[in-house]
Amino acid sequence: MIHYTTENGLPSNTVYDVYKDSKGFLWFGTDKGITRYNGIRFETFTTFDGLPDNEVFCIREDNQHRLWLLTFTGGVCYYDKGVFHTAQQSSLLQWPFPHVGIAQLTLESDSSITVNFDKEGFFVNIYGEKFTTHSLNEMKEKAGIPSLVYLRKMSGSTYELCGDDKKVWIDTTYQVLRTITAPFTSPYYYFTGRQSGYVATANGVYTLDGTLLQAAGQHQYKKSSIKHFYQDQKNTLIGTHDHGLVINDNTNILTTAKITGIAQDHGEHYWISTLQDGVWLFSQDFTMEKAYRNLYEGTIRYAFVHKEILYYTPTDNNLYRLEQGKSSCIFNYSKHQEQPVANFDEPGYLADDQGAYHTLYGKDHYEIDAWNSTWPVPKHTSIFSNDAQDTLKNIRNEGTGIKYIFSTPSYIYLLQGGYRIVRIDSKRTIRTGATWFEDTGLNSSRQRIYAMAKDKDQAIWYNTIDSMFKVVNQKPVYQPAFKNRAFKYFTFIDSSLIGFTHKNELIICSNLNGKMKADTITDRSCIWNRMYTLDNRHILISTNNRYRILTLSAARDTLISQLRIVEDLFVPLQAEYIVSDTTNCYFFKAGTITSFTINQLLKTPEAPAAVLKYLNAGKVAYDGATGKMEVPYTARRYLRIGVTALSFNSRRVIYEYSMSKGYAEDNWLPLKQEDMLLPVPGYGDYTLKVRCRSASSKYSQPLVVRLTIGEPFWMAWWFMLLAGGLVISLLWNIARYRMGYVMRKRERAHAAEIKFLKSEYKALNALMNPHFIFNSLNNIQGLINEDDKRSANEYLRVFSNLIRQNMHNISKELIPLQKEIDLVVNYLKFEKLRFSDCLNYTIDIDDDVDLDNIYIPPLLIQPLLENSIQHGLLPRRSADNMLSLRIHEKGAMLYIIVTDNGIGIQQSRKNARAGHTSFALDNIEKRLRQLRLMHGSNITLHLEELTDSTGAATGTTATISIDVE
């Protein structure tokens, strides 16, 4: 279910009618104009485009493809070939009486249009290019029907008038031809649909001939509240003003909405228009998509499906069960805690293969066995470890920092902190009454582990930056076939390993136990995120740009695979968690759980339909009636085409066209724009075709137009030869001169501008070098004065490395982040030599940061570190002085954060001598400002003083943010 409002392109949320025309466009009549929609964009027409009034109540189309509109104060108008026709310029609307009052617009069975002004006592019938007017009052009097329920046309000159108890046929000479008893039980109510009218009674909904379409069932809505009726081969929909939308008389949705219209688009989705609530979109099969709203707060930490019942744990750490559309909490974590629940990062959750659910949160381990009971009883144990704390990697022996967790028949394996693999022995837990984190001895080199997975044989695999290991008999076994393949994430499906690398390559590996085969897929339009197994052949992959489905070959150990985009509009984008079984797939997002069948996700989307907006050559236009177009030779160069598509599954459509002479084979070329000037053809007969597709659909059936380009009057060979020679010579010389002139002019202007900007920027860079050297020499001088020759010599050695790095870097506008980090590391060693225990530091760089391909100005980070040391830490002269450098990415931004626990900004300014300003900070600001001018870079510097609860300063944070895109 998707909701469209003014935020999505509608001109108003008050929508009186929705209608699909013969081409497939959807039209929405609102109180602020009429809107056309093709599934890609909304296009709104108002009085500025020719409408007589912006309030459009009713929309119908006749057999000449004219769209008839009923407006509030402007009466009736019609839209034909891109133009609105009103009574002011169309003789078809110049009736012998004014367009007054609110009328009723009806599409008759012969495709004529009847406009009934019941209160004014007349009506108009429009057929083709003629209209006829009739006195409704006289017909009612002759028929003996004082109160008219409806009027409809039966033939060219015969109309049916229906009253409370009878139906009368009467001709245009006001002669009564037939009178019968009404087939409906009074009272009844008349309302219109897309193609005809209907009658609602206490017994149900009928056609005007008395055929029962929908018997009255459990929904006892008022007859007068029914505003629309729609029926296809799958569903019967009734739109009301007091019961919302009634589906098949057993489902009631949009209960508070006032339904005004129902239509189906090209993809057979239902569009429901409402008063004051915009438009709602539903899939044709309501059972294939189920959305359960407001089921949780925060985000989802873990979810699993057991026997087609969904279980999930959000940030409150509780376990919920979703069964038959109802959610219930079966484990309330907070009720089992005597103290308030603390907040731990990356706790562990697992539904193991033995049928138990585990929560590892802080020092608590809860295990739940009986999932299907109403209130399962959890088993609680505390977490302990025989191993010493791993202070180097900041890993604690508790349920936190858990990156991956898997179960095997004997153990539960956890990757903690990205470095340590521990295990839980269930038998030991039962024996001791405690949960023990046992060191596995795996990854003894303490390399960063980027990904971890379990294969179908219950074996654990993990990979570091350049190596893949398989755990065999509790020992890591190096897998040489994966050499130099650094997976960022991987999983197993059947006997294949599928993963993506840090270079964003999707790799499918098969025949893992023999001579491994690998297939690499590169998709530049997305960044891979996570993978979710749907069944033994399909994987759903989340990316930053819609989902992909990877389909593997049914044959074992082959690399034939297909990758396509999921274009179903009802699938929530950027879901926070996804889980599936072999039947359904569940998407969690913002408190809503949306369920889809696997078959629906695997369904290939329908191809969009190409629609020709126009085809013209100068004053010659294609009218579409004959399928042929004759173009004079002199007008062929102005051959312009305008196309669009009906695409209700995808917003992105790819067009191709083919213009082949005679009956030659199609030559498909990309149509880069929806409105484009076609290449100039020669004279003769051509076949022009246009087709389109979405990202994952097949091509549509092509539009076909037969073109005939007239022959030119100059056909003599000498004329062609002479003219051709002159034209070629003239064009060659003009092009040669013009290109040379333009290129020289551009080069001069560009060179001057770049020279100025670079000189100014290099001047700012150059200022940093003497400042750096000056401060460093002062430090060396201090050591010499203290007669510390050994430290001074070591200081000079490190200083020489710094000078060499600095001189190499400072001549460049931008350097790789790695080079700046190398200089920073040497500098901090440099300062550590001088201040010894009075300086402690840490450097933390996220693994996702591409140090070699991110470029920053030289000496950007070092001055911030120096500033923190000189003005923040040294005045304290404390052994707990701490300086930290943190570099990470978030979205498209790179953040460089320097934090110290020094005296703070305010105290530092008080200690500074009068009139002193930080040269380093001032120069950094100027260089960043110059970079923004030269490259349009989004790069900023922000300083913040840290304080405790009493307001006392506890340090300073300097943050540089850079847009790496």
Side-chain angles (χ1 to χ4, degrees), residues 442-588:
L442 304 172
N443 195 34
S444 58
S445 63
R446 283 293 194 259
Q447 294 187 62
R448 176 78 177 184
I449 297 176
Y450 291 94
M452 187 173 175
K454 182 178 71 172
D455 65 19
K456 67 174 185 177
D457 298 322
Q458 305 293 311
I460 301 296
W461 296 57
Y462 66 90
N463 79 286
T464 62
I465 190 62
D466 57 1
S467 301
M468 176 71 77
F469 297 91
K470 178 181 179 181
V471 179
V472 180
N473 296 327
Q474 310 302 318
K475 294 183 180 180
V477 177
Y478 174 65
Q479 304 294 308
F482 292 90
K483 183 179 180 181
N484 298 326
R485 285 193 173 95
F487 287 101
K488 189 176 181 180
Y489 182 89
F490 68 90
T491 188
F492 289 92
I493 178 170
D494 196 22
S495 60
S496 298
L497 182 149
I498 300 95
F500 52 85
T501 68
H502 294 275
K503 296 181 180 180
N504 204 46
E505 297 174 328
L506 181 65
I507 301 178
I508 302 100
C509 304
S510 65
N511 195 23
L512 302 180
N513 297 322
K515 187 175 181 181
M516 189 185 76
K517 301 177 183 178
D519 185 20
T520 301
I521 298 175
T522 302
D523 189 343
R524 298 181 181 272
S525 64
C526 70
I527 303 298
W528 311 114
N529 183 26
R530 296 280 290 184
M531 292 184 287
Y532 308 90
T533 301
L534 300 179
D535 56 30
N536 59 2
R537 289 188 55 208
H538 300 92
I539 289 181
L540 179 69
I541 307 177
S542 63
T543 76
N544 64 326
N545 180 18
R546 306 191 73 88
Y547 302 100
R548 268 69 171 168
I549 286 184
L550 177 67
T551 302
L552 302 180
S553 171
R556 182 179 295 271
D557 296 334
T558 62
L559 296 179
I560 301 175
S561 59
Q562 293 180 344
L563 186 70
R564 69 170 182 84
I565 297 176
V566 178
E567 296 185 290
D568 193 326
L569 296 178
F570 301 96
V571 176
L573 298 179
Q574 302 299 322
E576 60 203 42
Y577 202 95
I578 301 173
V579 66
S580 70
D581 56 13
T582 57
T583 304
N584 297 292
C585 186
Y586 301 88
F587 295 80
F588 295 80

Side-chain angles (χ1 to χ4, degrees), residues 764 767-768 863-864 867 917-929 941 943:
L764 291 171
L767 290 175
M768 290 302 297
L864 296 179
N867 209 61
T917 58
S918 174
F919 171 83
L921 293 178
D922 184 62
N923 188 278
I924 288 176
E925 284 284 1
K926 290 181 179 179
R927 290 196 296 153
L928 296 184
R929 192 180 309 117
L941 170 65
L943 299 177

Side-chain angles (χ1 to χ4, degrees), residues 407-419:
S407 69
T408 66
S410 302
Y411 303 100
I412 295 176
Y413 286 88
L414 302 90
L415 172 61
Q416 195 175 30
Y419 297 90

Side-chain angles (χ1 to χ4, degrees), residues 178-195:
R178 179 184 178 189
T179 301
I180 61 174
T181 302
F184 320 110
T185 302
S186 184
Y188 49 88
Y189 176 75
Y190 172 79
F191 62 95
T192 60
R194 181 178 183 271
Q195 296 291 351

